[in-house]
Amino acid sequence: MPLKSLSPLYGKKVLLLTHSGADVDSFSSAAAIHFSLNGKSKTIIGVPGHLNLPSKAFAERIGVEYKIDPSLANFDAVLCLDFNKAAMLGTMKSAFDSFEGEKFLIDHHVPEKERLAPEKNSLQGKEAISTTELVYSLLKKSRIKIPKKALECIAAGIVTDSAGFLVADHKTFSIMAEVMKAAGIPYGSLVSLFSVEKDFSQKIASLKAARRCRIYKSRESIFVSSDVGAFEADSAAALVRIGADVAFCGYAEKGRIRVSGRVNNSWLREKKFDLASDVFNRLKGFFEGEGGGHAGAAGFNGNGDNIAPVLEKCIALAHEFNSKNLKDAELKEYP
Ligand SMILES: [Mn+2]
């Protein structure tokens, strides 16, 4: 039986834990629960490593504290938000693995074999557009009066994880309408809570990714890959905006490799492609590391000193997907 209410957390000291490099959905899931359980539980928001730029701005503007790499000592329970693999905790993984208190999980990724929390403490809904959507359903079932700030968090997670409603359906809009009505906040103000102007180095990274990019033709589709020093997710998204159907950007640094992939939305729907299962999870068979994410936005973290073969393998796996059942579909690189 999955988690049906937040009441098992009442009266306890609870760490609300995001994944490393917390995005807005992960962070605002924690913040929504933090605001809503005020007075019922003692909650602290914990972030392994760092927050991404939009969620850092969001935390500041909504006015909520968090701890980077907190110690798990003295907590009765840890609630994992928006991830389902301990590898997503970065350097906090071992502390989490050896934590002896209760473990809880709310997440919308496709369930893994690995379990971070017992089933009775988990709410997993891969049909939900965001983890905040699951948090919202749980707060309602718990009959908690949801404060305005928590409603803003819930809405922010839906907007960002749906990529501005690109992957939304009618249910997403009805939940959004309900949450925005209760929060009494116009859409523009909501978006301004997490919007960040790209900074200079981010723009340079995207432009360099475009300059260095390798361009491939896989049947009638365009795949690209690029070696970038930083902002790999953002750079991959930029390459999709200028015409790639699938883009991989990554780098190797100090023995670590990191790759992000992004996919054009209509291509993704037409092909029923899934970056996580068709590329990044399979990459594990060739390189040491962990892959994961969503159909249209995913990544891989691993060990290695050379990014070129990793990017080439990503392109090859995407091409393998794109050419299945076709014998002679060749992958052509543009000079
Ligand atoms: Mn999410």
Side-chain angles (χ1 to χ4, degrees):
M1 283 295 270
L3 188 63
K4 278 212 181 107
S5 126
L6 290 172
S7 59
L9 301 178
Y10 296 173
K12 292 176 184 161
K13 187 169 179 198
V14 184
L15 181 67
L16 305 168
L17 190 58
T18 73
H19 56 74
S20 83
D23 61 7
V24 172
D25 185 34
S26 188
F27 185 83
S28 58
S29 293
I33 293 174
H34 174 73
F35 290 129
S36 302
L37 289 187
N38 185 22
K40 290 190 167 66
S41 309
K42 175 145 178 47
T43 52
I44 287 179
I45 301 172
V47 177
H50 67 284
L51 293 90
N52 73 10
L53 293 173
S55 46
K56 198 171 176 189
F58 181 79
E60 224 172 86
R61 291 170 194 161
I62 201 132
V64 67
E65 306 263 315
Y66 56 89
K67 286 200 170 120
I68 298 287
D69 296 333
S71 152
L72 301 190
N74 305 321
F75 283 100
D76 302 313
V78 172
L79 168 53
C80 301
L81 294 152
D82 194 41
F83 63 100
N84 57 16
K85 291 189 219 185
M88 295 287 289
L89 289 170
T91 54
M92 284 187 67
K93 179 183 184 305
S94 58
F96 177 81
D97 287 341
S98 55
F99 177 69
E100 285 181 348
E102 280 185 288
K103 292 176 177 176
F104 292 84
L105 170 78
I106 305 174
D107 181 47
H108 71 134
H109 294 84
V110 178
E112 295 280 334
K113 276 187 223 115
E114 178 183 351
R115 290 216 65 109
L116 295 186
E119 160 131 43
K120 68 173 175 57
N121 290 351
S122 302
L123 178 63
Q124 292 179 289
K126 66 177 164 54
E127 68 298 330
I129 216 100
S130 67
T131 294
T132 62
E133 191 184 312
L134 296 172
V135 167
Y136 181 56
S137 72
L138 213 48
L139 287 168
K140 285 207 294 188
K141 278 187 203 148
S142 313
R143 300 182 182 281
I144 290 172
K145 171 150 176 45
I146 310 173
K148 179 174 188 292
K149 279 188 178 188
L151 292 162
E152 291 172 352
C153 291
I154 290 156
I158 294 172
V159 178
T160 54
D161 258 31
S162 67
F165 301 111
L166 274 174
V167 289
D169 62 15
H170 66 279
K171 283 175 287 187
T172 318
F173 284 98
S174 47
I175 294 168
M176 253 325 261
E178 196 179 299
V179 172
M180 283 178 66
K181 187 176 177 202
I185 182 175
Y187 188 66
S189 320
L190 177 68
V191 171
S192 68
L193 284 172
F194 52 79
S195 303
V196 283
E197 171 68 15
K198 275 193 178 191
D199 73 20
F200 189 84
S201 51
Q202 208 171 356
K203 292 176 192 169
I204 293 293
S206 293
L207 290 165
K208 277 188 180 171
R211 182 173 65 188
R212 292 178 192 158
C213 124
R214 294 176 69 177
I215 307 164
Y216 301 86
K217 181 168 183 280
S218 164
R219 298 175 67 197
E220 297 313 311
S221 308
I222 303 169
F223 296 170
V224 305
S225 70
S226 193
D227 178 348
V228 289
F231 299 110
E232 64 289 345
D234 203 67
S235 300
L239 294 176
V240 167
R241 280 197 296 278
I242 58 175
D245 293 308
V246 184
F248 298 100
C249 288
Y251 57 86
E253 193 185 52
K254 294 178 186 149
R256 299 279 304 153
I257 52 172
R258 161 114 199 113
V259 183
S260 260
R262 292 292 184 272
V263 185
N264 172 287
N265 255 299
S266 41
W267 192 89
L268 178 102
R269 271 197 299 272
E270 185 196 317
K271 304 276 185 175
K272 300 191 170 35
F273 178 63
D274 187 319
L275 259 182
S277 58
D278 294 320
V279 177
F280 288 116
N281 287 335
R282 298 183 57 200
L283 209 54
K284 278 191 289 204
F286 303 92
F287 302 94
E288 193 186 324
E290 267 300 319
H294 298 279
F300 183 83
N301 281 299
N303 300 322
D305 295 306
N306 192 359
I307 194 66
V310 184
L311 292 172
E312 279 164 16
K313 197 68 195 176
C314 291
I315 294 282
L317 290 170
H319 175 65
E320 197 179 307
F321 168 87
N322 196 37
S323 59
K324 65 181 159 212
N325 308 326
L326 291 164
K327 270 187 231 132
D328 311 318
E330 70 171 315
L331 180 70
K332 177 185 159 209
E333 181 171 3
Y334 287 86

